[in-house]
Amino acid sequence: MNRTLVNPLIIEASLNGATSKAANPSVPYSDEEIVSDALACMAAGAALIHNHTDEPIFGGTGKLDYERYARPWRLLLNDRPDAILTPTMPVGQEGVPVEVRYSHVERMAEEGLLAQGLCDPGTFNLSVLGEDGLFAPTDMLYRNDMHDSRYYVEACRRLNIGLSISIFEPGFLKFVLAYYRAGKLPPGGILKFYFASNDLPFGMPPGIASLEAYLAMLEGCDLPWLVSTFGDDCVRCGMAEAAIRRGGHVQVGLEPYAGDRQPSNVELVEEVVALAHKLGRSVATPTEAAQMLNLPSYPVPYAARHGRT
């Protein structure tokens, strides 16, 4: 039997990130906008929701405001107690312990807002292309050292939540596979393969060869995975179709999107749903996604405490 016919497609909507209102007026940042956009994306077919606040993850204090995440997510879970939510976190910086950078994740898990925590197990250089066509000389790092990376995994184990695992580079995947092969990876993990356009200094470029390289590394590992294309259009560049045909999953949204349009998050989700139906693959509900991911604390305790199922 074709695996894609018995393996519903999990779609994640990544709502904002570095995308500004100037770049796309429909990008959500206020509490009301995040709730409205998340609900619309879930109604369209998204099973997972990822969003940022307007706080910087580079520089700043190295600590994110717990309440800026919690306020809209409480409202969202009141309407959709089945929502599976994931935040971001500040990158590593001198003088800020990992416990501080991850504290908002831990507090949200303890309140019962999260069924899935964040795991960014690696480091890469950050820059932008200059007018000379070269990456500008900067000292910026997307930094997560091995101590940090192990902390994320063990924190999710301790909090009894799943892991949203960012794979920006092959070395990130090697870290996770070491846990997997040692039999020490907590349940509930999903690998997120982040491909990136040539204008960005990280990640393999979107393409079949890049995806197949990651899948070759995964041989013998049954962790679920998805694709996302930073600086590109995941559907139009063909990566969404490549993942759907191979039994993987897809992230879309205004955080990774770049193209000649100004779509909404909902439109991007709808395009993946239409593609899945064209290819004969059903789309997972949040409850189905939680079962497929083996999330250990789903539905989240917040919903149970408020008399919702």
Side-chain angles (χ1 to χ4, degrees):
M1 181 179 293
N2 187 331
R3 184 185 174 199
T4 61
L5 297 179
V6 296
N7 178 33
L9 174 68
I10 298 172
I11 300 172
E12 179 170 58
S14 185
L15 302 182
N16 43 36
T19 301
S20 67
K21 288 281 190 181
N24 189 323
S26 69
V27 68
Y29 279 106
S30 72
D31 291 2
E32 294 77 12
E33 289 172 338
I34 288 170
V35 173
S36 177
D37 230 34
L39 289 173
C41 286
M42 292 181 68
L48 312 179
I49 299 293
H50 171 66
N51 74 269
H52 295 217
T53 66
D54 57 4
E55 298 174 281
I57 63 172
F58 300 99
T61 65
K63 182 178 181 179
L64 297 183
D65 185 341
Y66 161 75
E67 278 295 327
R68 289 199 187 185
Y69 276 107
R71 282 195 313 264
W73 285 7
R74 293 181 191 118
L75 297 173
L76 176 56
L77 286 167
N78 278 332
D79 281 345
R80 289 294 303 257
D82 57 339
I84 302 171
L85 310 172
T86 309
T88 190
M89 63 184 170
V91 301
Q93 55 183 289
E94 293 296 330
V96 183
V98 65
E99 294 85 355
V100 171
R101 294 191 293 109
Y102 209 68
S103 60
H104 64 299
V105 177
E106 301 202 28
R107 285 190 64 186
M108 284 188 283
E110 289 164 356
E111 183 178 339
L113 299 173
L114 294 182
Q116 190 176 63
L118 183 64
C119 179
D120 279 15
T123 299
F124 58 82
N125 293 323
L126 271 172
S127 184
V128 295
L129 283 177
E131 292 182 0
D132 59 359
L134 304 177
F135 287 110
T138 71
D139 59 2
M140 293 181 65
L141 293 175
Y142 190 95
R143 175 182 163 184
N144 300 279
D145 62 28
M146 285 295 183
H147 169 77
D148 298 342
S149 301
R150 290 183 62 153
Y151 184 89
Y152 307 144
V153 175
E154 299 308 326
C156 289
R157 188 195 311 278
R158 170 170 47 84
L159 295 164
N160 196 38
I161 56 178
L163 297 88
S164 169
I165 307 169
S166 305
I167 306 296
F168 284 100
E169 302 280 5
F172 288 34
L173 182 54
K174 287 184 177 182
F175 172 87
V176 178
L177 289 176
Y179 258 97
Y180 180 87
R181 290 165 181 155
K184 296 180 179 180
L185 190 68
I190 179 171
L191 301 167
K192 299 182 177 180
F193 295 141
Y194 293 147
F195 302 94
S197 70
N198 291 332
D199 292 341
L200 298 170
F202 61 84
M204 292 195 287
I208 301 300
S210 297
L211 177 57
E212 292 292 352
Y214 274 135
L215 297 184
M217 292 178 67
L218 276 183
E219 184 176 358
C221 174
D222 61 358
L223 285 174
W225 53 271
L226 63 71
V227 302
S228 182
T229 56
F230 280 73
D232 211 324
D233 183 325
C234 196
V235 171
R236 294 194 177 187
C237 77
M239 289 302 289
E241 179 171 347
I244 292 169
R245 289 188 180 278
R246 288 163 175 77
H249 308 283
V250 177
Q251 180 198 80
V252 290
L254 295 182
E255 176 178 16
Y257 174 82
D260 57 3
R261 305 179 290 153
Q262 286 191 328
S264 66
N265 283 308
V266 175
E267 288 169 339
L268 293 173
V269 171
E270 290 172 342
E271 290 173 2
V272 180
V273 171
L275 178 61
H277 291 163
K278 176 182 175 182
L279 297 175
R281 189 157 171 201
S282 64
V283 174
T285 66
T287 299
E288 290 171 336
Q291 293 171 345
M292 294 165 65
L293 300 180
N294 192 28
L295 294 180
S297 57
Y298 182 88
V300 293
Y302 182 86
R305 283 204 302 267
H306 289 74
R308 296 174 181 271
T309 58

